[in-house]
Amino acid sequence: MAAGSCLLLLLPCLVTASRSTPGCRIRITSKGLDLVKQEGLRFVEQELHNITVSDLHGQEGQFHYNISQVRVTDLQLALSDLHFQPQQHLAFNINNASISLRFRRQLLYWFFYDIGSINASADGVHIHTVLQLAKDQAGRLKISNMSCDASIARMNAGFSGTLRKVYEFLSTFIVTGMRYLLSQQICPSLEHASLVLLNSLLDTVPVRSYVDEHIGIDYSLLQDPAVSTDTLDLDFKGMFFPRKREAQELEHHAVEPVIKETERMVYVAFSEYFFDSAMQAYFQAGVLAIQLQGEKIPKDLEVLLRATFFGTIFMMSPTVDAPLQLLLQVSAPPRCTIKPSGTSVSVSAFLNISMVPPGHPAVQLSSMVLETKLSAKVFLQGKALRMQLDLRRFRIYSKQSALESLALFSLQTPLKTLLQLTIMPIINERTKNGVQIPLPEGIDFTKEVVTNHAGFLTVGADLHFSKGLREVIDKYRTVPTVPTPTWPAEPSLGPHQL
């Protein structure tokens, strides 16, 4: 019993320990869902416009009828609602809607034959759908299941033509049949729209993609989405990797990002792990090194370096006039620190100063250690998260002795100027494209605000549809061409065919 009780007490801790900590978390709020509802309603209208209803034909006594070429002419979906439904669901309801239809009719009553069109309306249309959201095997958000219920309260049909009065009392057969057939087509149409078309839109969300020629980003979901009555939270891995070692896993030590706000449509949170993994991936890719030689070294700095190392250079005669070379190389993965006061990046590097005599190997004059702290301005532009770096603190010292460190003191200011004017622009140029945030194509951020917390930062924003759902979906699928139906001028069926 005692052992069992201890196990029960430890179980929550074990569950927490086994759960992966996200590097990136996205929260969609009820305000964001309202915008999605508006665009989704237009999409539903387009889908219901494309409903195909089977031909209806039959006989009641001496009354023969054939209804074909049913098409939707108008929809009124004024009362609709899209809301979160815990644990993993979205509920979409349409109440008291109306659907206007137009049919082609062929009617035979005794010896009277008539052909023409019928305008009908389905009123009191109620549609209730629930979408279940889940993580698929690739780590992508998917609509995994859908339940649907549709009903039509009443349906009316209006006849025209010479036999309108004769057939109005017999219209019950047609109206009842069309009401049944129409109600049976609503849910399959919406099911296809959700499980096929909307899932093709979710396929445009990047899960594992390349950022540039050196690194990539893993945005796979860690678990199924967490849905409350007001929010939907998505936990992403948010880890960068070097392209030469794509299977590499970086150990996670950063705090878990926590989103408490609900005022904006969407919030995106990034932990220190997100940025640390990017810098480690670049470090392992071997690209955190810059070499300057000859004219790329500022003239004032070159003169100062030659004066500083004059004795060493003089002993190298006759190579005194050989060009200088500076090799700046990061010695360990940079580390990101996020505080409420701001974001900074700590970098340790070494700087080798050498002379490169023509036709001879480079001769090292000095090797010094650089410790710098960069301030980082994180901002969102479009769907790209970008970082602008600026040099805040800088110091150098010799790896050899304290005496040499003292001799290098005169280089502190000019080397700092070199970093600010030469090196920092190169670094910011390499990172200016940023990294894409995992949103479907056609959805963009507006009115972004970045807020720093202890160990993570959040970006609060509103959403904007730059492209309609239909436009994006059609872009990624081949739509078969459907011939436009023609309306024959004369009857095509004889009485015996009815």
Side-chain angles (χ1 to χ4, degrees), residues 478-484:
T478 303
V479 182
T481 303
V482 179
T484 303

Side-chain angles (χ1 to χ4, degrees), residues 400-441:
Q400 306 300 324
S401 66
L403 184 61
E404 186 176 2
S405 297
L406 184 61
L408 296 175
F409 184 77
S410 61
L411 296 177
Q412 181 91 15
T413 301
L415 285 178
K416 183 177 182 180
T417 303
L418 173 70
L419 288 176
Q420 289 175 322
L421 300 181
T422 305
I423 307 301
M424 295 308 302
I426 295 175
I427 296 174
N428 286 322
E429 177 66 23
R430 289 182 177 178
T431 60
K432 71 175 184 178
N433 292 330
V435 61
Q436 295 295 308
I437 292 178
L439 279 184
E441 183 175 337

Side-chain angles (χ1 to χ4, degrees), residues 55 59-60 83 106 122 148 152 213 233 284 317 364 435:
D55 293 352
Q59 176 181 352
E60 186 68 27
H83 63 272
Q106 289 175 280
C148 177
I152 300 174
E213 65 270 26
D233 287 347
Q284 293 183 347
S317 181
Q364 183 172 297
V435 61

Side-chain angles (χ1 to χ4, degrees), residues 99-401:
I99 303 176
S100 299
L101 306 167
R102 185 176 177 84
F103 316 148
R104 180 176 182 268
R105 75 172 188 265
Q106 289 175 280
L107 306 175
L108 175 66
Y109 184 64
W110 292 96
F111 299 106
F112 297 97
Y113 182 71
D114 191 33
I115 186 172
S117 61
I118 302 174
N119 293 319
S121 65
D123 300 316
V125 179
H126 297 275
I127 306 172
H128 176 68
T129 59
V130 176
L131 307 179
Q132 183 173 358
L133 305 176
K135 174 183 77 74
D136 69 4
Q137 292 183 347
R140 179 177 277 111
L141 179 66
K142 286 291 186 178
I143 300 173
S144 60
N145 195 18
M146 172 187 172
S147 61
C148 177
D149 180 56
S151 63
I152 300 174
R154 54 194 175 279
M155 193 161 186
N156 303 304
F159 291 83
S160 60
T162 56
L163 301 178
R164 178 173 60 85
K165 293 294 184 182
V166 176
Y167 296 130
E168 274 185 349
F169 76 98
L170 296 171
S171 65
T172 303
F173 307 112
I174 298 174
V175 170
T176 302
M178 288 310 302
R179 175 184 172 188
Y180 173 78
L181 290 176
L182 180 60
S183 64
Q184 292 299 302
Q185 291 302 314
I186 291 176
C187 283
S189 176
L190 296 182
E191 183 175 347
H192 176 265
S194 300
L195 299 181
V196 177
L197 301 184
L198 288 182
N199 273 337
S200 71
L201 175 70
L202 294 175
D203 283 339
T204 66
V205 177
V207 171
R208 193 175 177 90
S209 59
Y210 293 140
V211 177
D212 54 29
E213 65 270 26
H214 304 296
I215 68 170
I217 177 70
D218 188 337
Y219 273 131
S220 56
L221 278 172
L222 297 175
Q223 56 191 358
D224 291 337
V227 181
S228 70
T229 55
D230 300 314
T231 60
L232 181 150
D233 287 347
L234 301 167
D235 286 352
F236 298 93
K237 193 171 189 177
M239 188 198 77
F240 293 82
F241 56 86
R243 291 180 60 167
K244 294 180 180 178
R245 298 185 227 172
E246 294 195 12
Q248 173 182 286
E249 290 286 336
L250 176 63
E251 192 172 351
H252 198 315
H253 296 292
V255 301
E256 179 175 343
V258 178
I259 304 176
K260 297 181 179 179
E261 299 87 352
T262 58
E263 291 77 17
R264 307 296 293 274
M265 292 184 181
V266 64
Y267 291 89
V268 189
F270 302 93
S271 74
E272 292 173 346
Y273 170 81
F274 180 86
F275 301 101
D276 284 346
S277 67
M279 291 180 286
Q280 177 157 326
Y282 275 122
F283 178 77
Q284 293 183 347
V287 297
L288 297 185
I290 297 176
Q291 181 175 290
L292 302 178
Q293 184 173 328
E295 296 180 354
K296 293 184 179 180
I297 302 176
K299 196 64 179 178
D300 294 344
L301 177 59
E302 182 181 4
V303 171
L304 181 60
L305 289 173
R306 289 186 182 276
T308 302
F309 300 104
F310 175 76
T312 306
I313 295 174
F314 184 78
M315 296 298 293
M316 295 171 54
S317 181
T319 59
V320 175
D321 293 330
L324 291 178
Q325 180 189 84
L326 304 183
L327 175 61
L328 179 64
Q329 186 166 353
V330 174
S331 56
R335 295 298 302 271
C336 175
T337 302
I338 303 176
K339 297 180 179 180
S341 57
T343 302
S344 63
V345 177
S346 300
V347 183
S348 294
F350 61 81
L351 175 64
N352 288 340
I353 302 175
S354 306
M355 295 199 73
V356 188
H360 294 81
V363 179
Q364 183 172 297
L365 299 177
S366 179
S367 180
M368 61 187 74
V369 176
L370 281 74
E371 291 185 353
T372 63
K373 180 162 284 189
L374 311 176
S375 62
K377 178 184 177 183
V378 180
F379 60 98
L380 202 60
Q381 190 167 13
K383 280 193 291 190
L385 184 73
R386 301 185 179 183
M387 177 182 285
Q388 182 79 20
L389 296 171
D390 190 24
L391 184 60
R392 184 196 300 176
R393 288 188 304 192
F394 170 83
R395 78 183 188 98
I396 59 173
Y397 59 90
S398 172
K399 296 190 296 182
Q400 306 300 324
S401 66

